[in-house]
Amino acid sequence: MSKAFMIAAAASGSGKTLITCGLLRLLKNRKLNPASFKCGPDYIDPMFHRTVLGVESSNMDLFFADEKLAAWLFSENSAPYDISVVEGVMGYYDGMSAASDRASSYHVASALDLPVIMVVNAKGQSLTSLAVLKGMVSFKNDSRIAGVIFNNMSEKVYSSIKEKVKEETGVEPIGYLPRTKGLDIESRHLGLVIPEEVDSLEQKLDKLAALLKETVDIEMILKIAERRNMPPVSAPRFNKLKGHPKVAVARDRAFCFYYKDNIELLKKMGAEIVEFSPLTDEKLPDGSDALILGGGYPELHCRQLEENISMRSSIRQALENGMPCLAECGGFMYLNTAMEDMEGRMHSGVGFIEGKSYRTKSLSRFGYITAYACTDTPFIKKGEGIRGHEFHYFDSENCGDALTAAKPVTGVTWQCMNVKRNVMAGFPHLYYYSNTDVPGRFLKAALEYREHREER
């Protein structure tokens, strides 16, 4: 079993993402082979780790997956690596509702038997930072908090309080990160910018890793990471199809939001994955049996997507001919008749789904959902559900009504997802492991499409 630990904090904005990135770079500089995991449904941080840091990254979410499945996925995704770093989400104990720790970072740490290193934002504090830490440790008898890194703390203050950390809290003092200008990562309307767009990021990360090398006890972190002792977990059951359907997956600057587990599940079920770019390629890959259009930033590339007429025609013709397609959020917007860019200008989309997508002033229908089929569809049958989430500043004139989205805590519902021919498209980002029949039927439809295509 590889070493593993979690980086968590009392609140968002405490510096856990910055410290996680710095530690991952520091571990790589030590010639270790780390993997990273992000708690919650965020797909941007894992993409960031994968592309910029060269560290394989996955999501770990206890709404999408139950504890047993999460433990197996963690084991699968961490097995090839020397050490796994799990970045928490929000405040450590904050879960799906204000009064619940379900699906919180604490819940994940407990389910995966992870030791936790707490990041305490000590800006404007000295001894009070120990009170904050002590409160986090004592809130639960099994808090799992094993160490602490103080953010925004000077060397002088850290030297003064270091000896009192373990005495007052029982937690190992691991180090500190002083306030340093120039290490921030720019934000955009969906969170962190995509990795290719961060100026001088490599230099920033090298600077951060060099700083942490001097201020953090990496040997203590490695020692803490050895404390995990998770028993083996059996693999979930799912059907593997023969025939290896060829699934074209859009991946470029416009379409880049994918859960690694979704793509890996398709492979485990027998699919051959081939990536292509709706921005620059002329048409779908030859021999494609199915299509996946993920989320991303199509609104930033509307003109280029519109001007690639041959690709839009290739996709529309394939879908009209019955090619199975799953399209989520930005991918769904691309299938609309038209989509608005960030300047309010409309551009032609694929046109397979009637309607225009347009920008809104705030997040629309934000959060976890379970989407239930209102009637039998090609991929999901009446009454069945699949879990996912919505996160978008755009909306559409035609969001679809084939499924009903229900929020898990409040029970608020709305209609979602267009189903047309063999296409299921809408704003929800779906997590395939929550109902493996959905990707299974999708791949079966892909093989049937191949048979019909070859007959023509």
Side-chain angles (χ1 to χ4, degrees), residues 363-377:
L363 280 171
S364 302
R365 303 182 296 279
F366 166 70
Y368 287 124
I369 63 162
T370 301
Y372 297 97
C374 301
T375 186
D376 284 348
T377 75

Side-chain angles (χ1 to χ4, degrees), residues 1-3 32-35 37 56 58 72-84 260 264:
M1 179 182 296
S2 63
K3 304 179 182 70
L32 291 172
N33 186 21
F37 295 80
E56 191 51 64
S58 309
W72 178 79
L73 288 168
F74 187 79
S75 177
E76 280 282 289
N77 289 325
S78 63
Y81 301 94
D82 298 324
I83 188 168
S84 296
K260 175 189 172 186
E264 292 302 313

